[in-house]
Amino acid sequence: MQMMVRAYLVYDITGSAKILGIVSASSSLPLLGLCLFGGAIADRMDRKKIIQISQWMMMGLTLFVGVSISTGTITWYHLLVSGILQGAIWSFMGPARQAMIPEVVRKDQVTNAVALNASGMSIMTVAAPAVAGILYALIGPDGVYYVISALLFGAILLTSTITTTN
């Protein structure tokens, strides 16, 4: 949802396809450069803590952008930095989420859990932009960022209930 709203908002603010492309690509560079480090850290540290810290950081980021939109202080530079930071955060959260799967299910369920996780991510890749577009039209970009923040807070609460087998 965040990527779609950020892209739409950048175009609303600037009217520039060039800036839209730059901001849309901004999360990719940190992902490419930091994922290997994220995987190494996920192998050495408490994965649940990595995920929760990442969720808190994402929530702070979405709240900052939402408030910036609400107060009329948002610029495309904010959205560029937001994309870069989101990519950096995902570089650590993604590998930790994948690596945590065997810790939360029995050994005979790991294959199904990995498949279920991949299916969930695929469904959200298709559904989230549509939901974000509808919300953008109904409650505006700041409202969507607040919804994303609320969803992230819910994810933080749910993540805190996870118990691991190791």
Side-chain angles (χ1 to χ4, degrees):
M1 284 176 46
Q2 191 172 349
M3 291 187 307
M4 195 290 290
V5 172
R6 183 173 45 241
Y8 201 102
L9 182 59
V10 163
Y11 195 76
D12 273 353
I13 292 170
T14 66
S16 169
K18 181 175 137 183
I19 293 173
L20 168 63
I22 292 167
V23 172
S24 293
S26 65
S27 63
S28 300
L29 292 176
L31 276 169
L32 290 171
L34 296 174
C35 265
L36 292 175
F37 296 106
I41 288 172
D43 287 341
R44 291 170 178 77
M45 294 180 64
D46 182 0
R47 293 170 183 116
K48 183 176 171 181
K49 279 195 192 322
I50 294 170
I51 293 167
Q52 287 180 306
I53 291 168
S54 297
Q55 289 170 330
W56 278 109
M57 291 170 71
M58 289 286 242
M59 190 176 82
L61 189 59
T62 58
L63 281 173
F64 170 78
V65 173
V67 169
S68 295
I69 296 167
S70 294
T71 59
T73 58
I74 193 76
T75 68
W76 73 270
Y77 296 107
H78 290 115
L79 299 169
L80 176 70
V81 171
S82 166
I84 292 168
L85 291 174
Q86 183 183 14
I89 293 166
W90 266 106
S91 296
F92 295 90
M93 185 165 50
R97 286 171 60 172
Q98 285 290 330
M100 192 171 168
I101 292 172
E103 294 179 4
V104 296
V105 299
R106 292 190 322 259
K107 188 174 183 165
D108 63 320
Q109 296 176 328
V110 171
T111 305
N112 288 339
V114 170
L116 183 61
N117 183 54
S119 296
M121 294 294 283
S122 295
I123 289 168
M124 291 312 299
T125 300
V126 172
V131 171
I134 292 167
L135 288 174
Y136 194 101
L138 294 175
I139 60 176
D142 54 343
V144 179
Y145 272 96
Y146 295 137
V147 167
I148 294 167
S149 297
L151 291 171
L152 283 163
F153 185 71
I156 292 164
L157 293 176
L158 290 172
T159 303
S160 67
T161 67
I162 294 174
T163 57
T164 58
T165 58
N166 293 344

